[in-house]
């Protein structure tokens, strides 16, 4: 595995791979890697000849500067993990390398990007599309891999690829959880031991709501989740929405769609955690 920090060096290396007819897999990350990222990389390794993993904390997708400053950066540990997973290249550029000048491009995919995260984090998805599109143009991958924990992000990236258009396949990969159910996240590293125990109530409530939904209306299920989180010590609900899994628009009844997902964002102390659960697929 090789660590590369400039666009020119990465492009040169990948051009050789392309001339040899090799397929290229891309796993975009912001570092602070965990077993969830490892699962994406292992799948990419299994399905491609060459795998590039980007390790870059993208400043343009943070609307909270304190969140950007506190985001964990663990490049040495990341490289150890990626080498064990079989990655070919780790691309860890500086901010100046990616943004030699401000990126003024705007990406708008309403109504996908105006609800949920788009409502509470204005500008976030524009920043996501800026960095992901840059990586697609630099790497020119055959396939790119994203986790379903960031469910809305995945839907917006799929739409960006349709609209741009990029000649690649987007591969969505299931959420990876701890044995106790907590969705893996780089932000989990910021939780105290007590907070981590409190955060377990998020996934526990979502799992229980799937059974609850079998005998209750959609509105009753939404209220069930909201009330359980509100009653949980240390947690503050930002939103819980039950949406069509393709359009991301809220649905009023279980009969409104054949693909229904519950998306949640909860603060545990200062740490903002997201998760989701599928009710129908």
């Amino acid at each position: 595995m090789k660590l590369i920090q400039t666009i020119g060096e990465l492009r040169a290396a990948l051009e050789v791979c392309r001339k040899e007819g090799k397929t290229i897999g891309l796993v975009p990350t912001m570092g602070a890697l965990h077993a969830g990222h490892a699962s994406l990389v292992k799948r990419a390794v299994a399905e491609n000849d060459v795998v590039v993993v980007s390790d870059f904390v993208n400043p343009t997708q943070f609307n909270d500067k304190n969140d950007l400053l506190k985001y964990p950066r663990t490049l040495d540990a990341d490289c150890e993990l990626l080498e064990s997973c079989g990655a070919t290249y780790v691309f860890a550029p500086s901010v100046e390398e990616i943004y030699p000048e401000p990126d003024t491009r705007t990406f708008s995919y309403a109504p996908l990007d105006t609800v949920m995260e788009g409502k509470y984090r204005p500008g976030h998805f524009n920043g996501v599309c800026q960095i992901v599109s840059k990586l697609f143009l630099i790497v020119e991958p055959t396939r790119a891999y994203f986790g379903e924990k960031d469910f809305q992000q995945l839907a917006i990236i799929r739409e960006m690829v349709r609209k741009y258009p990029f000649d690649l396949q987007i591969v969505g990969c299931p959420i990876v959880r701890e044995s106790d159910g907590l969705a893996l996240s780089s932000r989990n590293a910021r939780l105290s031991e007590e907070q981590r125990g409190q955060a377990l109530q998020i996934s526990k409530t979502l799992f229980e709501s799937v059974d609850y939904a079998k005998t209750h209306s959609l509105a009753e299920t939404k209220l069930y989740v909201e009330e359980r989180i509100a009653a949980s010590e240390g947690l503050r609900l930002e939103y819980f929405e039950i949406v069509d899994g393709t359009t991301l628009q809220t649905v009023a009844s279980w009969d409104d769609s054949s693909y229904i997902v519950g998306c949640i964002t909860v603060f545990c102390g200062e740490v903002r955690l997201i998760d989701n659960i599928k009710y129908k697929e």
Side-chain angles (χ1 to χ4, degrees), residues 57-183:
V57 181
N58 176 43
T60 70
Q61 69 190 69
F62 286 83
N63 56 325
D64 181 342
K65 297 304 179 188
N66 286 327
D67 195 19
L68 172 61
L69 290 172
K70 292 177 181 177
Y71 198 88
R73 293 160 171 83
T74 56
L75 181 59
D76 290 344
D78 294 346
C79 286
E80 287 185 23
L81 176 65
L82 293 172
E83 188 154 29
S84 72
C85 292
T88 317
Y89 300 110
V90 179
F91 181 47
S94 65
V95 173
E96 294 73 22
E97 181 71 13
I98 293 295
Y99 300 110
E101 54 190 41
D103 191 339
T104 59
R105 295 175 301 157
T106 57
F107 297 81
S108 179
Y109 300 113
L112 292 176
D113 59 357
T114 58
V115 296
M116 297 189 293
E117 294 295 283
K119 176 182 176 182
Y120 288 92
R121 300 180 69 187
H124 169 67
F125 287 121
N126 194 67
V128 168
C129 290
Q130 285 177 343
I131 185 58
V132 172
S133 63
K134 276 181 176 283
L135 291 170
F136 287 172
L137 292 167
I138 293 165
V139 176
E140 298 180 51
T142 313
R143 302 175 187 88
Y145 296 78
F146 296 87
E148 290 184 348
K149 185 173 76 69
D150 294 291
F151 190 82
Q152 187 173 7
Q153 172 181 279
L154 177 58
I156 289 167
I157 288 170
R158 288 189 192 280
E159 185 68 10
M160 181 180 72
V161 168
R162 280 193 289 267
K163 292 273 181 72
Y164 204 90
F166 289 103
D167 184 20
L168 75 156
Q169 178 188 354
I170 298 297
V171 182
C173 301
I175 296 174
V176 177
R177 299 182 181 275
E178 299 277 11
S179 58
D180 54 16
L182 183 67

Side-chain angles (χ1 to χ4, degrees), residues 209-222 224 254:
S209 76
V210 173
D211 285 332
Y212 184 89
K214 292 173 183 175
T215 54
H216 293 80
S217 71
L218 188 146
E220 289 169 332
T221 302
K222 186 173 187 294
Y224 171 86
W254 297 124

Side-chain angles (χ1 to χ4, degrees), residues 202 206 225 229 237 239-240 262-266 273-276:
I202 303 169
L206 291 180
V225 171
I229 296 298
L237 179 69
Y239 68 80
F240 174 61
C263 298
I264 195 166
T265 293
V266 177
L273 302 173
I274 66 172
D275 203 343
N276 62 77

